[in-house]
Amino acid sequence: MGGTQSLALQQGKGPHQVGCTDVMVGHTWQGLLLRLFYPCLPQGGAEQPLWIPRYEYCAGLANLTLLSCSAPLISLALGSCRVPVSWNGPFKPCSTGYPLIIFSHGLGAFRTLYSSVCLELASWGFVVAALEHRDHSASATYFCTAEDGREEWIPYQQVPQGQKEFYFRKKQVHQRAEECVRVLRLLEDISSGKSVPNVLHQDFSLSMLKGSIDLSRVTVMGHSFGGVTAVLALVKEPRFSAGHPSCCRCAVALDAWMFPLENALYPEVTKPVLFINSEKFQTPESIAKMKRLSSRNSQTKIITILGSVHHSHTDFTFLTGKLFSLIFGARGTLDPYKGLEITSQAALAFLQKHLNLQEEFAQWDNLLEGIGDSVVPEAPFCHPNL
């Protein structure tokens, strides 16, 4: 099996301990399922959540990699991996409110596969809502019906035969951006003290979040398909525009897959975006689309992490066994912890600037200009010195 498989995630480097819980609202596919990462109070002997929460997600990953017979193998090898956070840990109140990050996963992923970056950002004083999309882009997801609580699973869907991929993905990315908007509305309700029933009945009261989320400081973040989802979310809905008390001020796009964003929308993206790219995924055409946005807004930044691959932004890069790292193409030449450090520090510097945070994240501002170890501005094939 290529050696013992384990998930070598580290605790966040920020000053806060991190808790997490799952939230499901609604009894149809139009509801929401997300994992919340948040600063929590210390708790001795806290339970840590499973990284892959259900066997159905193993089956989804197996189907996606065209290794359907490997679902039991994935479950056996990875089913016991846990995330180093406090499951349903006691929320740490904050009188000024924590800024909010809404996180959108990539194609074929689900809400827990970016736990490394989500818990890292939460440790620096953010509430991170990692959404699980229901547009058939997750490897698997589900909702519970109202009648009997029966689970309805939503499988991953390939592009239908005979349909152009652009139009199929465009429809998905618009649904995804609308789901991000609904997460903001949900967190508005929770923060204002409205009673929001959690279908999953977790041992965590959402009422603890009342008054502790700063909805004037919101960003959308995502990887790959989630990266372009974050860009579209900036223009999707009026409450994501300047002037609304709950507004998204910027986006952070990790190796964004720009393909599904229609040309007519580019002029509407007026807010700053931080594009953090891997060395091995982007094309000149994709970089040109990012530069269309940076040419309109000098605060939009494009950087590339050298030695990284597309899955370097996911938790797969932290798998210690060789087999699954090979299956998922998860490892570049850069140490994964160094890659996470660059990603999180660049994101924190960008968020300090555009969310007007009173932190010390400006110490990493050089990263936003592509200055630093293993980072360059724009892309290697665009960079004059490479």
Side-chain angles (χ1 to χ4, degrees):
M1 287 177 58
T4 302
Q5 307 291 325
S6 63
L7 183 69
L9 297 188
Q10 294 182 336
Q11 292 186 342
K13 293 186 175 181
H16 301 279
Q17 294 196 29
V18 178
C20 81
T21 192
D22 282 339
V23 180
M24 182 187 290
V25 294
H27 292 281
T28 70
W29 68 268
Q30 294 172 306
L32 292 168
L33 173 58
L34 54 98
R35 176 159 287 191
L36 274 184
F37 296 83
Y38 53 85
C40 79
L41 298 170
Q43 185 183 34
E47 179 188 359
Q48 296 183 342
L50 289 170
W51 178 50
I52 299 179
R54 298 280 297 271
Y55 178 83
E56 288 85 351
Y57 293 101
C58 296
L61 288 173
N63 290 331
L64 198 66
T65 55
L66 304 180
L67 297 169
S68 56
C69 62
S70 69
L73 174 62
I74 293 176
S75 179
L76 178 65
L78 304 179
S80 62
C81 293
R82 294 185 179 269
V83 181
V85 295
S86 176
W87 181 239
N88 293 326
F91 183 77
K92 185 178 182 180
C94 177
S95 58
T96 57
Y98 299 111
L100 172 66
I101 298 172
I102 299 169
F103 194 96
S104 172
H105 65 72
L107 198 63
F110 44 91
R111 70 188 185 279
T112 68
L113 294 188
Y114 299 87
S115 294
S116 51
V117 67
C118 290
L119 75 88
E120 178 64 29
L121 293 170
S123 79
W124 290 98
F126 292 81
V127 169
V128 184
L131 180 58
E132 192 163 283
H133 291 290
R134 290 172 169 174
D135 62 329
H136 293 279
S137 70
S139 59
T141 188
Y142 72 106
F143 62 91
C144 298
T145 61
E147 295 78 18
D148 54 7
R150 186 169 46 89
E151 294 176 357
E152 292 276 354
W153 282 85
I154 302 171
Y156 177 84
Q157 184 178 349
Q158 302 283 356
V159 179
Q161 190 171 3
Q163 187 170 345
K164 288 188 180 297
E165 183 174 19
F166 173 78
Y167 296 104
F168 182 70
R169 299 302 185 196
K170 184 179 82 166
K171 181 179 178 182
Q172 286 183 311
V173 76
H174 278 267
Q175 178 178 329
R176 288 166 137 262
E178 288 162 1
E179 287 173 335
C180 291
V181 174
R182 293 211 304 273
V183 171
L184 179 60
R185 291 175 178 163
L186 172 66
L187 271 297
E188 278 183 330
D189 287 345
I190 292 172
S191 187
S192 69
K194 290 184 180 178
S195 177
V196 175
N198 186 354
V199 173
L200 299 177
H201 304 297
Q202 299 287 6
D203 186 22
F204 179 89
S205 174
L206 294 174
S207 65
M208 289 192 292
L209 301 177
K210 180 180 179 181
S212 287
I213 301 176
D214 185 350
L215 291 163
S216 70
R217 292 183 168 91
V218 183
T219 193
V220 189
M221 185 174 184
H223 172 245
S224 192
F225 206 7
V228 76
T229 300
V231 174
L232 179 57
L234 289 178
V235 298
K236 194 64 182 176
E237 219 252 0
R239 69 180 60 219
F240 274 63
S241 63
H244 193 279
S246 298
C247 68
C248 181
R249 300 189 186 185
C250 57
V252 178
L254 308 179
D255 229 7
W257 185 42
M258 299 300 289
F259 171 75
L261 191 64
E262 59 261 49
N263 286 331
L265 283 172
Y266 281 83
E268 298 184 40
V269 183
T270 59
K271 294 185 179 179
V273 181
L274 172 60
F275 292 101
I276 305 178
N277 295 330
S278 72
E279 187 177 3
K280 300 295 185 183
F281 178 73
Q282 296 295 336
T283 63
E285 293 78 14
S286 183
I287 294 294
K289 292 178 178 181
M290 296 176 187
K291 292 178 77 172
R292 285 182 64 183
L293 298 179
S294 64
S295 68
R296 290 191 173 92
N297 189 329
S298 62
Q299 296 302 309
T300 287
K301 304 294 182 181
I302 308 167
I303 62 172
T304 295
I305 302 177
L306 299 177
S308 63
V309 297
H310 193 52
H311 279 95
S312 295
H313 291 295
T314 74
D315 294 344
F316 289 125
T317 195
F318 294 97
L319 292 175
T320 59
K322 294 179 181 178
L323 175 61
F324 286 101
S325 187
L326 286 172
I327 290 174
F328 295 109
R331 279 289 176 97
T333 57
L334 182 69
D335 176 78
Y337 301 104
K338 177 66 174 177
L340 175 61
E341 181 180 81
I342 294 171
T343 297
S344 57
Q345 289 178 355
L348 290 169
F350 186 76
L351 296 178
Q352 168 140 332
K353 191 181 298 284
H354 298 293
L355 301 184
N356 297 325
L357 304 178
Q358 303 301 313
E359 303 290 345
E360 297 181 357
F361 305 150
Q363 63 184 300
W364 301 309
D365 277 352
N366 279 351
L367 292 173
L368 303 179
E369 306 303 326
I371 300 170
D373 184 31
S374 300
V375 61
V376 294
E378 295 186 358
F381 44 73
C382 300
H383 191 59
N385 296 324
L386 293 177

